[in-house]
Amino acid sequence: STLFNDNIAAQKLGVNVKLQSYSFIDPADQNYIILRYTISNTSGAAISNLYAGLYFDWDMIEGSGANDLTSYDNTGNFGYVHHQGLIPDTTIGIGLLSASNYGFYAIMNSSFGYTQLEKWTALSSGFASTSAGPADIANVTSSGPYNIPSNSSIDVAFALAADVNLANLRTAFANARTKYNSIITSVNDSKNPMPYKFELAQNYPNPFNPSTVIKFSIPSESHVNLKIYDMLGREVRTLLNEEKAPGNYSVNFIAGNLPS
């Protein structure tokens, strides 16, 4: 989970973006990840004609982008890239999951100047360029246009998949679109996700007088003992001794009646 905004952009639009990334253990879902972007309008006015997209400069052979090819697959509705001659035989795809207003732009790096106008063209031109290479290539997979009223948000989600051929990628994107439809109704995307390990954090403030907060995290239901010891190792206070559900917790420790 990642949060970011455009506060330092040269031409600030006024958005906050929350990215949720998902990967899966089931064999049918192991060759793709889902990237879900929630774009919130914080500008104070309606935003119109907004496009969202992902740009990748693919180099299928480490240290060289030569002899790569990129195209759009109309059957599966995703862009993909592979190396000429299929050595290595990996094929990588990127496709929109959350809507049907697809966009894809294949780029020849040698002739693309990456000006603001060219970037906007790649993001918003639909299918003006659907193949490039063999050469040093890049591509943009996009969606739009969107209108976002003030203080509202939209979700734009993509899948990034890899396999050994185009047929397998088509299956991956079909599975990803099915999985995404279940994610948006069953996954709790809270800003305080469940912890994945046991952790006892540094108390704050430290030093303190007379109270401090102790935070801890548990990834599974557990019996929790939280005790305070003095410098000689003697127990002076038990703060918790009970069963706790998975989650993040904090306990206020007041030490006013204890010696330093």
Side-chain angles (χ1 to χ4, degrees), residues 200 203 208 212-216 224-229 235-242 244 250-255 257-258:
L200 179 65
N203 62 300
F208 63 94
T212 188
V213 174
I214 301 172
K215 294 184 177 182
F216 64 93
V224 176
N225 271 302
L226 186 60
K227 298 181 178 183
I228 304 296
Y229 295 83
E235 181 182 332
V236 296
R237 182 75 57 83
T238 296
L239 301 181
L240 276 179
N241 183 17
E242 61 187 67
K244 285 289 188 182
S250 61
V251 176
N252 190 35
F253 170 46
I254 301 174
N257 61 345
L258 294 174

Side-chain angles (χ1 to χ4, degrees), residues 34-169:
I34 291 177
L35 306 173
R36 177 185 177 189
Y37 297 85
T38 300
I39 305 171
S40 300
N41 179 0
T42 60
S43 68
I47 295 175
S48 61
N49 201 35
L50 180 138
Y51 287 80
L54 298 180
Y55 161 83
F56 287 97
D57 184 356
W58 303 100
D59 290 336
M60 299 302 290
I61 295 180
E62 184 178 359
S64 172
N67 294 320
D68 291 340
L69 300 102
T70 184
S71 299
Y72 190 79
D73 182 69
N74 291 292
T75 302
N77 285 314
F78 59 87
Y80 65 97
V81 61
H82 61 91
H83 190 70
Q84 182 172 256
L86 298 179
I87 301 174
D89 61 359
T90 305
T91 303
I92 300 176
I94 179 73
L96 177 68
L97 304 183
S98 53
S100 59
N101 50 355
Y102 307 103
F104 177 80
Y105 198 91
I107 295 171
M108 293 279 286
N109 282 326
S110 61
S111 59
F112 197 80
Y114 292 97
T115 64
Q116 284 192 339
L117 178 59
E118 285 174 305
K119 292 176 183 178
W120 174 250
T121 298
L123 191 65
S124 63
S125 296
F127 296 100
S129 173
T130 57
S131 64
D136 182 13
I137 52 87
N139 59 34
V140 173
T141 301
S142 62
S143 181
Y146 291 99
N147 298 320
I148 313 179
S150 178
N151 298 317
S152 297
S153 63
I154 60 169
D155 282 346
V156 185
F158 303 88
L160 180 64
D163 216 302
V164 296
N165 56 51
L166 193 58
N168 288 355
L169 281 189

Side-chain angles (χ1 to χ4, degrees), residues 11-30:
Q11 296 178 343
K12 178 181 175 180
L13 187 61
V15 293
N16 286 340
V17 180
K18 177 183 180 181
L19 166 62
Q20 294 288 130
S21 304
Y22 306 89
S23 60
F24 308 95
I25 196 170
D26 294 339
D29 302 309
Q30 288 184 350

